[in-house]
Amino acid sequence: IVWTLIPTTLFLLVILGLNIERKYLKTFYSPQTGKEMNQERFRNAEDDERKAQIFTHSRHYWVGIEDDMKLWVQQNWKRWEEEEPKWFNDIMRSYFPVEWIPRERRRKENIRRKSVRRPSVIAALVGGELSDLRIAPSAGGEVSSNVE
């Protein structure tokens, strides 16, 4: 089976390579790593929402551009708090390192993070409404909810 499968796969890849439009050939394969791709997305993003997506990935992806990211957060945090864009919700805010938040806003954010209620975070994660969510400890001390 292996002697048939490998040559067949290689043959089909060659056929694909010969039939694909040349202008799309570069989209078929890229030597760029996930880290490099996310750093490029951060640098070239056209809006803050797209730029902020790097914070949802591993901190390993930030190595090499942390200074740019920190500067961007410090320059825009106050505006985000005032304008309250849709993407700048409690969950997204929690991804930003507190030490990157401007000093005058840091204490307020620390207090906000400590006071965020667990039900609101769970509801946001499961896509439910907070009013529909019920969380209560059971007799055995375990926490249960009505979310499936």
Side-chain angles (χ1 to χ4, degrees), residues 94-111:
S94 69
Y95 289 122
F96 293 97
V98 175
E99 59 274 9
W100 290 9
I101 298 170
R103 192 174 307 277
E104 66 275 4
R105 305 257 180 195
R106 198 174 297 161
R107 185 170 183 271
K108 178 182 172 185
E109 181 62 16
N110 271 325
I111 292 169

Side-chain angles (χ1 to χ4, degrees), residues 57-103:
H57 298 284
S58 168
R59 286 182 181 236
H60 168 73
Y61 286 5
W62 308 359
V63 174
I65 63 168
E66 299 102 329
D67 293 339
D68 294 338
M69 293 169 65
K70 183 177 181 177
L71 181 63
W72 174 71
V73 169
Q74 290 176 342
Q75 290 175 340
N76 292 288
W77 190 269
K78 181 179 178 182
R79 179 175 56 85
W80 296 332
E81 282 187 331
E82 292 168 357
E83 294 176 3
E84 297 180 357
K86 187 176 180 178
W87 64 269
F88 193 61
N89 56 30
D90 287 344
I91 295 170
M92 184 55 87
R93 285 174 149 205
S94 69
Y95 289 122
F96 293 97
V98 175
E99 59 274 9
W100 290 9
I101 298 170
R103 192 174 307 277

Side-chain angles (χ1 to χ4, degrees), residues 25-76:
L25 196 56
K26 66 180 180 194
T27 66
F28 186 69
Y29 171 77
S30 171
Q32 187 179 43
T33 66
K35 177 181 175 180
E36 292 167 342
M37 180 186 68
N38 278 288
Q39 289 183 359
E40 183 179 319
R41 282 183 182 170
F42 176 81
R43 288 188 183 109
N44 299 329
E46 296 177 11
D47 60 29
D48 290 340
E49 182 176 8
R50 288 191 182 132
K51 213 168 226 194
Q53 289 302 312
I54 195 168
F55 287 95
T56 64
H57 298 284
S58 168
R59 286 182 181 236
H60 168 73
Y61 286 5
W62 308 359
V63 174
I65 63 168
E66 299 102 329
D67 293 339
D68 294 338
M69 293 169 65
K70 183 177 181 177
L71 181 63
W72 174 71
V73 169
Q74 290 176 342
Q75 290 175 340
N76 292 288

Side-chain angles (χ1 to χ4, degrees), residues 118-135 146-147:
R118 187 176 183 94
S120 64
V121 173
I122 293 171
L125 290 173
V126 297
E129 293 294 323
L130 183 58
S131 59
D132 298 336
L133 184 64
R134 300 287 178 260
I135 297 177
N146 64 337
V147 176

